[in-house]
Amino acid sequence: MRNQVDPLADAAVVDIVKSPKWSDIINQWEEIPSPLPSEIPVSLKNYLQFYLDQYELAPQDTLKAGQDFFSKEGDIYLGMLGFYSLPYCYAFGDGAEVLVRSERIVNQIGQRLSETGTFVLEIFKPGAFYSHRSAFLTCAKVRLIHAFSRYFIEKYAKDWDPKFGRPINQEDLIGTNLAFSFIVIRGLIKLGKTVNQNQIASLLAYWKWVGNLMGLQIEYWPETAKEAFELDKLIRKRHLRKSDAGLRLIGALRNYYKLSIPDPLLNRQVDDIFYFFMGKEVAAALAIPVKNQIPPELLNLIFKFSGWKSYGNTKSHASIQKMMETQQLEQFGELMKIKIPTLKRP
């Protein structure tokens, strides 16, 4: 799987590189138009047609269950992404080599994290995929961003080592999908929250649907918590290691959190929180120091208190989105949107 990528998206990116105007056109859409523009290049048309063909296949019951779960746990879900899922990915040396080559992840980390939050909120919006079709476009754009990264790394990165595998390959895609689903569940359980087997299976089914839209070979996707555990264990065994790329990424994330998180209960204990979620082995791969062992009940209270200060008793997808947009406007002066790269030709 390290040498398998995403031919459909890769072919579409070749078309966009040849006709850069399509980047601007796609970034202006609110959803994928049907019918597609008649003058669209063939490979890009085939790529976008894949999404139009999915419109009538959305598994509404599965999607509604996942969206209900997010509406109840969305603030902590996003917290798990930031303090567990993303740094967890940095500990896998070969995959980190792709991430560190995106200067935005290191030098514009706030904007990049906010875009990730925007993506997650969009795909978990109540009615996403079956009542609201904008989430299809969101997935299509993120998948193209991956293909653009692959295109430019393979074409221009002279320091890319073939032993890393191909950039953003199928193994790294499935690992990232696990980090955004199963690892989040593991984090909630570490905090002492009760998550039953049906909820785990429901969230895995949700990310199987999203994974398919993101170019993942879903025949390898786990259906149960046990399968997810075994798959994560296998990927850890193959790739968990200390790397300069991983250390650079975790250093940038640590510094950003310490400077930007307004709650002193969180920003003073960034390394301790990292260590709590990732454990001894992963923390060692990221050179995270052991300072204070935080009891799970205390960290759960810290997250609860932070959420209560932000949302009171009215937490919902809408309130979480409103809070995120307010933070983006205050921090960056604009709302973060998912955009594919725009290419300018002389």
Side-chain angles (χ1 to χ4, degrees):
M1 291 178 72
R2 296 209 68 72
N3 290 308
Q4 297 175 30
V5 284
D6 185 359
L8 191 64
D10 289 341
V13 162
V14 171
D15 273 345
I16 296 174
V17 171
K18 292 177 180 176
S19 302
K21 69 174 185 178
W22 288 103
S23 286
D24 295 319
I25 292 171
I26 292 170
N27 284 334
Q28 291 170 8
W29 289 344
E30 296 295 326
E31 62 179 55
I32 300 171
S34 180
L36 292 166
S38 58
E39 71 276 18
I40 197 167
V42 174
S43 293
L44 182 56
K45 179 180 180 180
N46 292 338
Y47 176 77
L48 295 170
Q49 187 61 48
F50 163 80
Y51 291 93
L52 296 180
D53 293 342
Q54 301 298 308
Y55 277 10
E56 305 305 321
L57 302 178
Q60 185 167 337
D61 290 344
T62 295
L63 294 172
K64 188 176 186 308
Q67 290 158 14
D68 288 346
F69 181 83
F70 187 86
S71 290
K72 296 173 185 175
E73 304 288 356
D75 59 331
I76 297 183
Y77 197 111
L78 293 172
M80 292 303 97
L81 291 178
F83 278 104
Y84 193 3
S85 302
L86 291 176
Y88 187 77
C89 291
Y90 300 164
F92 296 82
D94 292 344
E97 294 291 343
V98 174
L99 297 173
V100 81
R101 281 167 172 75
S102 170
E103 288 299 313
R104 294 193 67 224
I105 292 181
V106 178
N107 298 329
Q108 294 181 304
I109 191 168
Q111 292 93 323
R112 185 66 187 85
L113 289 173
S114 289
E115 287 168 1
T116 299
T118 297
F119 165 71
V120 172
L121 280 166
E122 178 67 17
I123 64 170
F124 276 113
K125 183 179 180 178
F129 301 111
Y130 58 93
S131 292
H132 310 297
R133 292 179 170 176
S134 59
F136 285 103
L137 177 60
T138 297
C139 290
K141 288 196 287 188
V142 172
R143 186 176 172 186
L144 285 175
I145 291 169
H146 291 166
F148 267 107
S149 296
R150 192 159 44 244
Y151 177 89
F152 285 108
I153 287 173
E154 293 191 327
K155 198 170 183 65
Y156 299 110
K158 296 180 180 179
D159 61 343
W160 184 260
D161 191 329
K163 73 179 183 181
F164 300 147
R166 293 192 66 189
I168 314 183
N169 57 68
Q170 284 292 324
E171 186 178 19
D172 289 343
L173 281 173
I174 203 169
T176 302
N177 234 40
L178 279 174
F180 276 60
S181 55
F182 179 68
I183 297 303
V184 170
I185 292 293
R186 182 185 284 169
L188 294 175
I189 293 172
K190 281 175 178 276
L191 284 176
K193 288 184 167 291
T194 300
V195 186
N196 62 47
Q197 294 297 312
N198 287 337
Q199 289 174 313
I200 297 173
S202 175
L203 197 62
L204 288 173
Y206 201 97
W207 280 95
K208 180 179 182 179
W209 166 257
V210 173
N212 181 53
L213 298 177
M214 298 285 287
L216 182 67
Q217 295 176 10
I218 56 173
E219 60 266 32
Y220 301 115
W221 183 248
E223 305 286 344
T224 66
K226 186 178 187 309
E227 290 178 357
F229 174 84
E230 293 295 340
L231 180 57
D232 172 65
K233 181 180 177 182
L234 176 61
I235 295 174
R236 280 175 61 140
K237 183 178 179 180
R238 285 168 52 80
H239 296 291
L240 181 65
R241 64 176 175 84
K242 184 179 289 187
S243 68
D244 290 340
L247 295 179
R248 187 179 176 198
L249 291 164
I250 195 66
L253 187 64
R254 173 194 290 120
N255 293 337
Y256 174 74
Y257 283 167
K258 288 181 178 180
L259 292 172
S260 66
I261 295 176
D263 192 336
L265 287 172
L266 294 175
N267 63 33
R268 293 176 183 173
Q269 303 181 79
V270 171
D271 282 333
D272 296 336
I273 297 172
F274 283 157
Y275 191 91
F276 172 88
F277 286 118
M278 286 183 282
K280 182 178 180 180
E281 187 181 20
V282 180
L286 294 172
I288 295 170
V290 183
K291 293 180 180 178
N292 303 302
Q293 295 277 10
I294 304 178
E297 56 273 13
L298 175 60
L299 188 54
N300 188 25
L301 283 174
I302 291 173
F303 274 102
K304 277 187 175 179
F305 181 65
S306 181
W308 180 82
K309 285 198 301 182
S310 298
Y311 309 107
N313 295 318
T314 60
K315 184 173 65 176
S316 64
H317 182 282
S319 64
I320 295 168
Q321 181 166 354
K322 183 177 180 181
M323 175 60 68
M324 176 175 284
E325 290 176 349
T326 299
Q327 292 171 344
Q328 290 176 356
L329 289 172
E330 290 176 350
Q331 192 169 0
F332 312 118
E334 61 178 340
L335 298 180
M336 294 295 101
K337 296 183 179 180
I338 308 295
K339 293 182 179 180
I340 62 174
T342 53
L343 307 173
K344 304 300 181 185
R345 289 199 169 179

